[in-house]
Amino acid sequence: MNKGKTAVIVGAQWGDEGKGKIVDVLSENFSIVARYAGGHNAGHTVIIDGKKFILQLVPCGVLRLGCRSVIGNGVVLDPLAFLKEVGALRQAGVNVDGNLFVSNRAHVILPYHRMMELASENAPGRIKIGTTSRGIGPAYEDKMGRRGLRVADLLDLQLLRKHIENAVREKNMIAHALFNSEPVDADKMYAEYADAAEKIAPFVRDTAVLLNEALDKGESILFEGAQGTMLDIDHGTYPFVTSSSATSGGAVTGTGVAPNAITSVIGITKAYCTRVGEGPFPTEDKSPLGDNLRKRGNEYGAVTGRPRRTGWLDLPLLRYSGMINGTSWLVVTKLDVLDELSEIPVCVGYRIDGKKTLAVPAEACGFDKIACIYHKLPGWQTSTQGITEFERLPRAAREYLSFLEKEAGAKIGMISTGAGRDQTILLSDFAKGLKAFAKKV
């Protein structure tokens, strides 16, 4: 039986909740940080001593000395993006060699995946999902269609050449017939990716074995999610979702640890709400108030630069997220963004066709019928930026957090009051609980 303890970090909304900073702060207590889903469309921003790091594939634990990082089998890996990120980290003085490992079972993104996604997303008559067109979805499609290329296969050059030749022939025909796209060159692709395979080889491991052996030794693991619960392929606002399991269950399938190895689930929520791309967003505020949230919160994609849609905290959504994930603790980020407001709306329920409900609709069109029921809480109109003690927060801010905690049904353990690593409040019960994860010396 595993002796080590684990925690899963999940986004409790539509992603962009500030998971990168939280993983970085908490990674001090863990031996390993393992990423379990998504691809290089997920941008995690970490600021350390004023220096900004934007990580897309590499887990945020790489920025902690003595912490190993794992890219699990549930991630889809763009080899060129991975090598570019590793190169930038090396240049910044981060020690990646010997500390960063890639699953041999992770699936690989190839140029024809980007071609297919870009063409499909722009096809006439198609419902736009708002993807980043980085090939994430088509790579997962090939994985589920049992025609994908895994990292282990990438390293077998004979198999790689055969796979590329067959796949390119098929994808070029489909893309030309459906979208009139320009073909991709199989020979050029093989040369580029054979070279990449050689550079990636030192990072490749059977990471399921690595993680389970670490647990058997009593080491602790922090599982890092990508995107958020409402973008989960099964439980999100389908079809306006990502292509992977963004919920806590994805940590099991995406890394190869057993379900009973999960000790704790930590949900990350902003003090308000944002969403990128198309799809339902019941509490979206398109007024100048929403614009002000975007400006104060710097709500632009870390990877794409796209402006995020902004709105108010949605408690029915947060409760749904807590149920799906089995959330043990909540972390509230960007509290300081609300500092200037005299009152703060919070959605406490929905009306659909005039009837009150707390249910989250399964159909995307069901969200069109939602009228939010708002409860307005007093603002504090004083700066909370950089505060590190709960008692030093303005009374109205403490009351706002207490209301959130009571209504969401999960205890708040941590509050972020700024982008920096040290601009964080750790509540006493949560801090005590973290000691159970302390690295073995």
Side-chain angles (χ1 to χ4, degrees), residues 23-51:
V23 171
D24 172 63
V25 170
L26 295 181
S27 62
E28 184 178 16
N29 301 279
F30 292 83
S31 304
I32 299 173
V33 175
R35 169 87 177 271
Y36 63 82
H40 64 306
N41 57 340
H44 290 174
T45 303
V46 179
I47 297 175
I48 303 171
D49 297 328
K51 188 173 184 178

Side-chain angles (χ1 to χ4, degrees), residues 21-33 60-67 220 222 421 426 434 437-440:
K21 173 192 165 171
I22 303 308
V23 171
D24 172 63
V25 170
L26 295 181
S27 62
E28 184 178 16
N29 301 279
F30 292 83
S31 304
I32 299 173
V33 175
C60 299
V62 76
L63 301 175
R64 283 280 183 188
L65 286 173
C67 186
S220 56
L222 183 63
R421 185 185 264 179
L426 275 177
L434 283 175
F437 298 99
K439 296 177 185 177
K440 300 291 180 184

Side-chain angles (χ1 to χ4, degrees), residues 10 73 97 114 138 178 181 300 329 367:
V10 294
N73 56 275
D97 301 289
R114 292 191 292 275
L178 294 181
S181 297
Y300 299 90
W329 293 94
F367 282 85

Side-chain angles (χ1 to χ4, degrees), residues 36 43 87 113 168 235 254 294 299 347 361:
Y36 63 82
H113 291 128
V168 163
H235 303 291
R294 185 180 303 107
E299 296 295 353
C347 175

